[in-house]
Amino acid sequence: MMVLLSFTVITIGSKDVPVLGSVRGAVIDVLGPVGRGFKSATKPVRSWWGGVNDYDRIAAENDQLRDEVERLKAKQAANSSAAAELARLKELEGLPFIADIDSKVALISTGAYSSFDDNTMTIDRGATSGFKVGMPVVDRSGLVGRLESVFDDRSVIRLITDPDFAVYVKLASTGSYAAGHGTGPDRPFLVDSGVNLDQEVNKGEGIFTSGIETGSFPRDLPIGTVTKVSASQSDLTQVLEVKLAADLERLSAVRVLLWEPPT
Amino acid sequence: MTPLHVAARWAAVIVVVFVLQVGLVSQMRVFGVIPDIMVVLAVCAGLSGGGQRGAVVGFWIGLMFDLPRTEHPLGLSALAYCLVAFLAGMAQVVVLQSGRTISMALVAGGSVVGVLLFAVESQFFGGDALTNPHLLTILGVTALVGALLSRIGLRVAGFADGPETRSAAE
């Protein structure tokens, strides 16, 4: 009987019944403060645990960061002129990425509850802040995902790493369009449709949202950079592995663009 | 204890463990994996209270866990935990007749089965849990956590079930 009941719940749940959505929304609204409370109360324990569990990685990361700081210091002077040039280019091209798209900052309130929930995150603002399903979410480096569910004071982000997260992209050098999708946490974003074999693509090439009319995002939101180029199994197109610009491992705040796809 | 008392105790236990899972445990990864103490509780419910009660309690544990996880259809954990708690209940006799090591192994194994069931269901409903590249690590950590928490889990389940049904495994 309980198995039958479970299947009934699954069936009803998959129909997007508003009541169930409200119940889930209420639970998420309640759990936000609970999660934050636990987070601050257990910070010393978690820091200790993080150190114990991840010592080697943290030590390596510290070394890497020191090198990075030195490298950045050396580049600072050169960058100032490059930044000025970039600003001029942006001014000339009027890139929509820096255009006046209204946006609001939201804090990550809860992450995954189990190891199978790595493709979503919850933020601490919702419909009362003007958020709507489908709005793009970015961090300072690039696209993070889109709002999948919006409740009164919470929203759930579908992360760009989700295999079901598909997006039309644009290659920086040629401006040609292609399609890409996530492949799961800790895996590269794949652009595997629309890049012909005769098209030259190099490692380090920037990938941006296309902004085409049927797309779900405004133009030129950074997605990442190409790290590997290979031929598809059918040998008809190229497959690009892309390292995401956004650092999803260390997200603490995001910016939700109050932008809706044209209907 | 009346059935109402048992239900009230189980409700309290489920809520407390649920809050611990989403508030505390979900923020403490082991080898990059979030331990699942809800499935451990479901298995312990089956081992302590038998198949029928285990199935009912497992269903509610799973349903509670499903509520905030909007990434999956509601009811996936409810089905998985209901089934695994029922299966664990079938092994109740073994637990009654054996020592701590066996019950520890049963909780660990049952937890792994529960997580695996969830992964299979998720795949059927369009998710990617079964093809998760870290699935083996997840199962390993689940077994470890199940084994480590088996004693306390069985004690908690025994408390909720009341003295009449309390198993010798505690």
Side-chain angles (χ1 to χ4, degrees):
Chain A
M1 196 185 87
M2 298 314 292
V3 172
L4 198 62
L5 188 58
S6 299
F7 275 113
T8 309
V9 171
I10 292 171
T11 309
I12 296 171
S14 59
K15 300 276 183 198
D16 283 339
V17 178
V19 178
L20 287 180
S22 305
V23 172
R24 295 185 104 169
V27 170
I28 288 169
D29 278 345
V30 168
L31 288 178
V34 171
R36 268 208 309 277
F38 266 100
K39 216 169 184 173
S40 52
T42 59
K43 193 174 180 184
V45 180
R46 285 187 295 106
S47 302
W48 169 80
W49 179 253
V52 169
N53 200 33
D54 231 5
Y55 177 81
D56 291 341
R57 189 185 61 77
I58 290 169
E61 200 171 83
N62 277 342
D63 292 341
Q64 197 182 344
L65 284 172
R66 278 190 204 102
D67 292 345
E68 184 79 357
V69 167
E70 293 305 316
R71 195 178 62 80
L72 287 175
K73 275 180 183 170
K75 273 197 162 183
Q76 200 170 20
N79 278 352
S80 59
S81 66
E85 190 180 334
L86 184 63
R88 280 197 298 276
L89 282 173
K90 281 176 180 172
E91 205 174 58
L92 284 172
E93 294 179 7
L95 292 177
F97 180 48
I98 55 160
D100 293 331
I101 300 175
D102 285 339
S103 62
K104 285 185 178 171
V105 172
L107 299 176
I108 303 294
S109 58
T110 52
Y113 293 126
S114 86
S115 292
F116 296 123
D117 306 337
D118 279 339
N119 293 320
T120 54
M121 276 184 183
T122 306
I123 52 175
D124 68 345
R125 301 178 85 166
T128 51
S129 299
F131 292 178
K132 290 179 182 169
V133 171
M135 285 181 167
V137 182
V138 298
D139 75 351
R140 62 182 177 174
S141 308
L143 186 64
V144 166
R146 71 162 74 90
L147 294 186
E148 182 185 56
S149 319
V150 177
F151 308 105
D152 285 349
D153 298 314
R154 306 274 152 191
S155 302
V156 177
I157 307 170
R158 170 74 58 178
L159 297 176
I160 191 171
T161 50
D162 190 326
D164 290 334
F165 190 105
V167 55
Y168 289 113
V169 302
K170 189 174 74 175
L171 277 64
S173 63
T174 59
S176 57
Y177 296 121
H181 59 88
T183 57
D186 307 328
R187 285 173 164 185
F189 184 86
L190 273 194
V191 177
D192 57 1
S193 171
V195 186
N196 295 327
L197 284 176
D198 56 355
Q199 195 172 333
E200 190 182 334
V201 183
N202 297 312
K203 280 185 187 177
E205 168 138 24
I207 302 290
F208 297 82
T209 53
S210 68
I212 60 174
E213 277 186 25
T214 51
S216 310
F217 299 97
R219 278 179 61 196
D220 293 332
L221 299 180
I223 291 177
T225 49
V226 175
T227 54
K228 187 181 172 189
V229 182
S230 56
S232 66
Q233 285 183 337
S234 63
D235 278 341
L236 295 174
T237 55
Q238 297 184 82
V239 177
L240 316 179
E241 286 188 11
V242 177
K243 184 179 187 296
L244 292 174
D247 186 359
L248 303 183
E249 294 280 314
R250 286 168 184 73
L251 274 186
S252 57
V254 292
R255 189 169 278 277
V256 177
L257 305 185
L258 304 180
W259 181 93
E260 291 177 84
T263 49
Chain B
M1 283 209 333
T2 65
L4 202 63
H5 280 118
V6 175
R9 281 191 179 195
W10 264 116
V13 165
I14 291 171
V15 168
V16 169
V17 175
F18 171 69
V19 169
L20 283 175
Q21 172 71 43
V22 300
L24 183 66
V25 178
S26 64
Q27 295 171 31
M28 301 181 81
R29 292 183 181 246
V30 181
F31 304 119
V33 172
I34 298 174
D36 184 347
I37 60 171
M38 298 294 274
V39 72
V40 176
L41 184 66
V43 173
C44 290
L47 287 173
S48 171
Q52 286 195 357
R53 181 177 288 178
V56 175
V57 174
F59 170 83
W60 286 108
I61 293 171
L63 191 65
M64 191 81 181
F65 199 25
D66 277 329
L67 282 173
R69 300 161 74 198
T70 53
E71 196 170 327
H72 312 283
L74 190 71
L76 281 197
S77 300
L79 178 60
Y81 294 2
C82 159
L83 285 173
V84 79
F86 180 76
L87 291 174
M90 299 286 102
Q92 190 188 27
V93 181
V94 180
V95 174
L96 287 168
Q97 293 170 349
S98 58
R100 289 177 186 179
T101 315
I102 299 293
S103 49
M104 191 187 270
L106 278 174
V107 175
S111 303
V112 168
V113 171
V115 170
L116 211 47
L117 270 173
F118 176 85
V120 172
E121 289 170 21
S122 158
Q123 206 72 25
F124 269 115
F125 284 89
D128 60 347
L130 200 57
T131 53
N132 188 312
H134 306 300
L135 184 62
L136 285 179
T137 317
I138 292 171
L139 295 178
V141 170
T142 303
L144 182 70
V145 170
L148 289 175
L149 296 182
S150 61
R151 290 285 299 151
I152 190 167
L154 286 168
R155 272 186 181 278
V156 168
F159 158 78
D161 280 331
E164 295 89 353
T165 51
R166 202 165 286 170
S167 82
E170 310 173 36

